[in-house]
Amino acid sequence: MTYHAFHTHGETRQSRWLITVDHATNTVPPQVNGGTLGLPQSDMSRHIAYDPGAAGVAHAIADALEAPLITSNFSRLVIDPNRGEDDPTLLMKLYDGTIIPGNRHAGREELERRKELCYRPYHAELGRLAASRRAPVIIAVHSFTPQLKGRPPRPWHVALLHTAPQNALSVAMIKRLQAEGDLCIGDNEPYAGHQPGDSIHRHALSHDRPHVLIEVRQDLIRTVVEQQGWGRRLAPLLADALADCGD
């Protein structure tokens, strides 16, 4: 079976929205260590391998906004598409206290091979889809673990990461979320802003495109019903936030 580094959904939709999920799956391609990184399934099912629930939320947002969707088809432990090509965390050997056996001896040659197999095809397709939209608006969907090992619990239900001054849509979306009245909103939590070369920097900031990076807490989106509920809740708020910006 031919391996593909990404999946697309609704490509023929004419909406200016484009929904992305960088960490959609925990798949290890068969070309990488025979399809395993040497971790037990219990670890591959955790946040260290992908963003649980994010793909389901993104599908619901894309359907509600009649927008195309692109999702990665490789674990962030294989190579992290939400990092710049020269980022030292592009290929992780230790993550949240877990050693990644299949990455322990991966050097420059293996890193380059994984870039060609996974990273570059995903970004090429994301770039193509964005360029095919009229005045595209990019929504990146992620999820975050309720608590890292040895760290305090994370209270936010949903969070947005953004970088001034190209963050008008994110700021408008935060105001819309706060107006809901029943949510704890993270403003640049649990991480701050964007890093050079990451997905939003590469496909939105560098092109001056409106964008939002949304993080939803993973314990809130464990089931399909919960994922669809969050997606359907977020979609109209995104549309209202864009209108608030006069865009």
Side-chain angles (χ1 to χ4, degrees):
M1 181 180 295
T2 303
Y3 170 74
H4 296 284
F6 56 85
H7 295 299
T8 56
H9 171 73
E11 181 181 350
T12 60
R13 293 171 174 173
Q14 298 303 304
S15 168
R16 62 184 295 203
W17 300 94
L18 172 59
I19 317 303
T20 73
V21 190
D22 291 337
H23 303 142
T25 178
N26 57 5
T27 298
V28 180
Q31 296 92 333
V32 177
N33 295 324
T36 178
L37 293 175
L39 290 172
Q41 186 57 40
S42 57
D43 277 330
M44 290 303 295
S45 298
R46 296 199 300 125
H47 70 96
I48 65 171
Y50 74 124
D51 282 357
V57 173
H59 269 277
I61 292 175
D63 289 345
L65 295 176
E66 297 185 346
L69 166 70
I70 178 170
T71 61
S72 67
N73 188 33
F74 51 94
S75 171
R76 70 197 303 170
L77 295 179
V78 171
I79 191 167
D80 193 334
N82 194 32
R83 297 289 186 273
E85 285 214 22
D86 58 352
D87 192 303
T89 64
L90 189 61
L91 196 159
M92 297 289 283
K93 300 188 179 186
L94 175 69
Y95 196 165
D96 195 20
T98 298
I99 294 173
I100 318 303
N103 292 348
R104 180 178 292 180
H105 302 295
R108 289 187 178 181
E109 184 176 337
E110 178 61 13
L111 176 60
E112 182 65 22
R113 198 173 70 86
R114 295 187 194 184
K115 286 180 181 179
E116 286 296 312
L117 177 68
C118 301
Y119 183 99
R120 289 173 180 147
Y122 172 73
H123 279 292
E125 180 66 5
L126 201 167
R128 186 190 70 80
L129 287 170
S132 72
R133 304 291 103 189
R134 178 192 60 82
V137 182
I138 297 177
I139 306 301
V141 181
H142 292 255
S143 68
F144 64 96
T145 185
Q147 186 173 14
L148 291 171
K149 289 182 178 180
R151 303 287 184 87
R154 292 161 157 179
W156 313 285
H157 298 108
V158 61
L160 275 73
L161 312 187
H162 56 95
T163 301
Q166 295 171 282
N167 59 343
L169 183 55
S170 295
V171 170
M173 183 61 175
I174 289 171
K175 291 178 180 178
R176 285 283 176 176
L177 287 164
Q178 290 171 335
E180 293 285 283
D182 63 339
L183 297 174
C184 180
I185 308 302
D187 185 344
N188 269 332
E189 299 284 359
Y191 316 104
H194 301 291
Q195 299 298 320
D198 70 13
S199 285
I200 286 294
H201 182 268
R202 181 170 182 165
H203 298 287
L205 290 171
S206 295
H207 300 272
D208 200 24
R209 291 166 174 158
H211 60 276
V212 172
L213 189 153
I214 299 175
E215 296 256 9
V216 184
R217 206 174 69 207
Q218 289 164 8
D219 59 322
L220 304 177
I221 50 174
R222 288 173 174 156
T223 69
V224 172
V225 171
E226 290 171 337
Q227 294 159 19
Q228 291 178 342
W230 270 96
R232 290 167 183 159
R233 182 175 187 177
L234 291 169
L237 296 175
L238 285 164
D240 288 343
L242 188 63
D244 292 342
C245 295
D247 205 331

